[in-house]
Amino acid sequence: MNHKKYKEWIQLFLYDELTQQEAEELNNHLNECNECSAEFEKQKRFISALKNSSLPEADQNLLSEARREFNAALRVEKSKKSTFSFPQINLAEFFFSPLRIAFSGAAVLAVGVIIGFLLFNKQNEIVIPLVEEENSLASLDDRTQIMNLRFIDQDPSDGEIEFTVDAIKPVHIKGKVNDPGIQNILTYSILYEQNPGIRLSAINLIKTNGGQNTDEEIRTALITVAKYDTNLGVRREALKLLRSFPFDSEVREALLYILLNDENSAMRIEAITSLKEISEKGNGFNQDEISAFRENFKKEENNYVKFQMKTVLQENLKNEQ
Amino acid sequence: MTLSDTELINKAQNGDESAFSELVCRYDRNVLSIALKYVNDRDDAKDIYQEVFLRVFRGLKKFQFKSEFSTWLYRITTNVCLTFIRSGRKNTMMKIDNEMDTDIIDNMAETDDANSPDNLFLRSEVTNNVNKGLEKLSPKQKMIFILKHFEGYKIREISVMLNSSEGTIKKYLFEANHKLRSHLSELYV
């Protein structure tokens, strides 16, 4: 008798992976075989015991954080192709080569590279000594933070080993708030900085640039932050600042996304108010927006937002008639 | 109107960023869920999530619809998980030194209120033991067991994700089951 086969089938049966015919064959065997019948009970108890365990679930907070960090990484990925192509620094390898490099480390380095670039462009000032070249020990000092050590060769038999590290060195920067370089650093900070207070300050500093905000990078960063930042205050300030930019289709899509997805009613109010403003200036609401309002009207919990959606839908209905 | 994956991919391939975002949002919870269960560390799971979708972003232009997008995505996810090396920041696996007390197991079956403090404690003990057991599996055994038992995928789906035959997947599943059962024998004997 092939007990091994039936013992395996027991597992498959409990996972609903047997065909009807196989299940019947197993059932017949279990009726006759005490050993396999006992195994069946054991496996059932095992599966049932596993049900009492709860492996971690991806909650909304984690998902939001993952999305925000991914969007930041994506922006680096895109800018890597378009903006940075200096012969001195191989950013393609530098940023994303091994999976094990946590993005946080790379993000901090990215800021370093940008700062280095900005300073480098001023010709007579310092260049950040990023440790990416071989034999860079001389450039390290006691202010340098070392992290993410990655061995390339850890075999000491020939007397040498080889590895890379991420080295971060503090840099003092002073400049005009509307300097494009400063604005660029602030933009990166609102995407990468871990501390929400700093992200908020960076947004406020970008804001002091007033009506001169036409930079595409800043606008895209603000859209990302307004949609995905985990901190409400940061999202809200980003959204407010976004309103000082020309309303184009991307901003409009972002507003709709916030209206439909943000858990905070103040954000949704801000979003629908802005959308109404845009529609009044332009050609009204587009079909996607109307469909989204129709689908989400019942789900909306905030009375003000609900009322605004209802008004839009009623006006749309009138126009159609 | 909801666009199909194919429509979204076509748009994304032509540079439509919102289509790409929608595609990500359609599947990212599942990707994160698999990653989190596999590494049992929120930061590491985010790293995996990021790497998966960066690979999708880089590869989408060359995607030729030879398979479903979801198949391709989950294949990337399982590959990234299997090749993932902990960043070394931290390891949140809780180490429980004491063996499970058999009284706990007896009580577990008799307790009705799932949210009672006692039962929550028991659940956490069981979870810790399951995590310890999962750590004893090989990466592939662990991935297959998680996909099958905790994520509920069919063996056929897992075989496509991991680019292996159904027979191979079953073999890994049986081995994982055997090892886990030995480790957790106090839980069900």
Side-chain angles (χ1 to χ4, degrees):
Chain A
M1 186 71 68
N2 188 356
H3 293 284
K4 185 171 179 279
K5 177 179 98 175
Y6 291 118
K7 282 179 183 173
E8 290 176 349
W9 276 19
I10 286 169
Q11 291 178 43
L12 298 176
F13 175 77
L14 291 172
Y15 285 133
D16 196 22
E17 291 274 5
L18 284 188
T19 63
Q20 181 71 27
Q21 200 181 356
E22 287 168 338
E24 277 169 20
E25 186 183 329
L26 175 66
N27 192 35
N28 291 337
H29 177 74
L30 291 179
N31 285 335
E32 294 164 2
C33 175
N34 288 339
E35 184 186 331
C36 289
S37 191
E39 168 65 19
F40 181 75
E41 290 304 319
K42 237 179 184 178
Q43 180 67 16
K44 235 170 52 175
R45 285 203 296 275
F46 169 64
I47 297 290
S48 151
L50 282 180
K51 281 186 184 150
N52 279 301
S53 68
S54 48
L55 290 196
E57 288 296 337
D59 54 58
Q60 192 55 43
N61 275 349
L62 185 67
L63 189 64
S64 302
E65 280 174 34
R67 284 177 180 172
R68 185 171 67 78
E69 288 175 18
F70 169 63
N71 275 291
L74 195 57
R75 281 178 42 74
V76 175
E77 176 81 7
K78 287 173 189 167
S79 63
K80 189 176 68 177
K81 285 177 190 162
S82 56
T83 314
F84 305 107
S85 54
F86 313 114
Q88 301 95 321
I89 301 167
N90 184 352
L91 280 168
E93 280 180 23
F94 185 59
F95 275 115
F96 282 116
S97 50
L99 167 64
R100 62 183 181 271
I101 301 175
F103 174 71
S104 54
V108 177
L109 282 169
V111 176
V113 171
I114 294 158
I115 297 167
F117 165 57
L118 295 169
L119 296 173
F120 183 76
N121 266 1
K122 291 179 183 171
Q123 291 176 355
N124 55 353
E125 296 190 34
I126 14 162
V127 177
I128 309 287
L130 290 167
V131 184
E132 60 199 348
E133 302 297 334
E134 288 180 3
N135 303 320
S136 305
L137 274 175
S139 62
L140 305 178
D141 62 27
D142 55 3
R143 295 178 308 153
T144 312
Q145 273 186 44
I146 304 292
M147 55 199 290
N148 292 331
L149 188 144
R150 297 174 295 279
F151 282 107
I152 297 165
D153 170 16
Q154 51 182 324
D155 175 10
S157 57
D158 60 354
E160 283 193 342
I161 59 167
E162 190 179 357
F163 56 84
T164 64
V165 291
D166 299 341
I168 303 164
K169 204 167 183 175
V171 176
H172 184 112
I173 294 177
K174 187 176 176 184
K176 292 197 182 307
V177 69
N178 58 0
D179 181 295
I182 300 275
Q183 288 281 314
N184 209 359
I185 293 169
L186 293 173
T187 306
Y188 270 78
S189 302
I190 68 172
L191 288 166
Y192 304 134
E193 179 55 54
Q194 298 277 324
N195 183 329
I198 305 283
R199 295 202 298 276
L200 203 55
S201 300
I203 292 176
N204 288 328
L205 286 167
I206 291 173
K207 205 192 275 181
T208 55
N209 203 19
Q212 302 172 41
N213 286 325
T214 51
D215 190 290
E216 175 65 17
E217 294 285 308
I218 297 176
R219 190 187 64 100
T220 313
L222 288 172
I223 287 177
T224 302
V225 173
K227 283 164 78 174
Y228 302 115
D229 198 288
T230 49
N231 183 283
L232 171 62
V234 177
R235 286 203 308 279
R236 200 162 173 194
E237 284 307 306
L239 180 55
K240 279 183 189 165
L241 184 51
L242 201 53
R243 292 180 66 172
S244 69
F245 284 78
F247 286 130
D248 59 11
S249 63
E250 250 188 280
V251 173
R252 210 164 161 151
E253 277 173 20
L255 291 170
L256 187 62
Y257 178 92
I258 292 163
L259 177 64
L260 303 181
N261 295 288
D262 203 292
E263 288 168 1
N264 185 274
S265 55
M267 285 293 289
R268 299 200 300 277
I269 290 171
E270 189 87 26
I272 197 158
T273 308
S274 303
L275 274 171
K276 286 195 83 170
E277 248 179 68
I278 300 171
S279 75
E280 279 159 15
K281 285 180 194 164
N283 299 322
F285 287 92
N286 63 39
Q287 209 44 53
D288 283 348
E289 287 160 351
I290 295 292
S291 311
F293 286 3
R294 203 171 286 140
E295 282 172 29
N296 287 274
F297 171 70
K298 280 188 183 162
K299 281 189 270 174
E300 177 55 53
E301 289 166 356
N302 182 277
N303 286 336
Y304 176 80
V305 179
K306 207 166 186 166
F307 174 75
Q308 295 296 339
M309 282 181 169
K310 191 178 169 184
T311 313
V312 172
L313 290 172
Q314 281 172 341
E315 280 171 11
N316 182 62
L317 204 63
K318 267 188 217 165
N319 293 340
E320 280 180 353
Q321 286 164 354
Chain B
M1 189 183 66
T2 309
L3 296 180
S4 68
D5 282 1
T6 306
E7 288 167 316
L8 286 175
I9 293 163
N10 280 328
K11 283 179 154 212
Q13 285 176 331
N14 289 317
D16 184 334
E17 293 185 11
S18 63
F20 179 71
S21 298
E22 196 172 331
L23 207 52
V24 171
C25 290
R26 197 167 277 187
Y27 292 101
D28 65 347
R29 189 180 282 275
N30 285 352
V31 168
L32 192 61
S33 174
I34 292 171
L36 185 60
K37 287 189 174 73
Y38 185 74
V39 290
N40 195 28
D41 180 295
R42 292 169 72 87
D43 287 330
D44 286 343
K46 282 192 290 179
D47 285 350
I48 289 175
Y49 172 102
Q50 192 173 107
E51 180 61 22
V52 167
F53 285 110
L54 280 175
R55 287 189 191 189
V56 169
F57 175 74
R58 291 174 195 141
L60 198 63
K61 273 212 179 281
K62 292 176 191 162
F63 185 74
Q64 292 175 332
F65 300 95
K66 286 178 181 167
S67 67
E68 293 285 325
F69 172 76
S70 59
T71 306
W72 180 58
L73 172 67
Y74 292 134
R75 188 172 286 179
I76 294 174
T77 306
T78 51
N79 267 333
V80 172
C81 284
L82 289 171
T83 53
F84 181 76
I85 299 166
R86 275 187 196 284
S87 58
R89 274 189 306 244
K90 58 178 180 175
N91 179 351
T92 55
M93 291 294 279
M94 289 181 69
K95 303 292 177 200
I96 306 292
D97 294 321
N98 300 331
E99 288 301 312
M100 284 288 284
D101 186 333
T102 45
D103 287 347
I104 289 176
I105 308 304
D106 294 342
N107 288 338
M108 195 165 64
E110 291 168 13
T111 312
D112 287 326
D113 181 3
N115 292 321
S116 73
D118 281 353
N119 215 5
L120 286 175
F121 170 74
L122 296 171
R123 190 173 276 266
S124 132
E125 287 288 286
V126 174
T127 301
N128 287 329
N129 273 274
V130 169
N131 278 326
K132 279 171 80 176
L134 286 172
E135 287 308 301
K136 290 186 174 174
L137 304 181
S138 74
K140 220 163 184 181
Q141 288 168 347
K142 182 179 169 187
M143 172 56 77
I144 289 167
F145 194 82
I146 286 172
L147 290 172
K148 180 69 227 167
H149 185 83
F150 293 101
E151 293 288 315
Y153 287 100
K154 302 301 275 182
I155 285 173
R156 180 179 36 79
E157 293 171 314
I158 300 172
S159 76
V160 177
M161 280 182 208
L162 293 172
N163 202 18
S164 302
S165 69
E166 289 187 33
T168 306
I169 300 300
K170 282 179 191 170
K171 181 177 153 282
Y172 278 106
L173 187 64
F174 297 149
E175 286 168 358
N177 186 81
H178 178 73
K179 279 193 195 174
L180 264 181
R181 258 180 64 169
S182 306
H183 178 78
L184 302 173
S185 56
E186 300 96 330
L187 291 177
Y188 62 92
V189 172

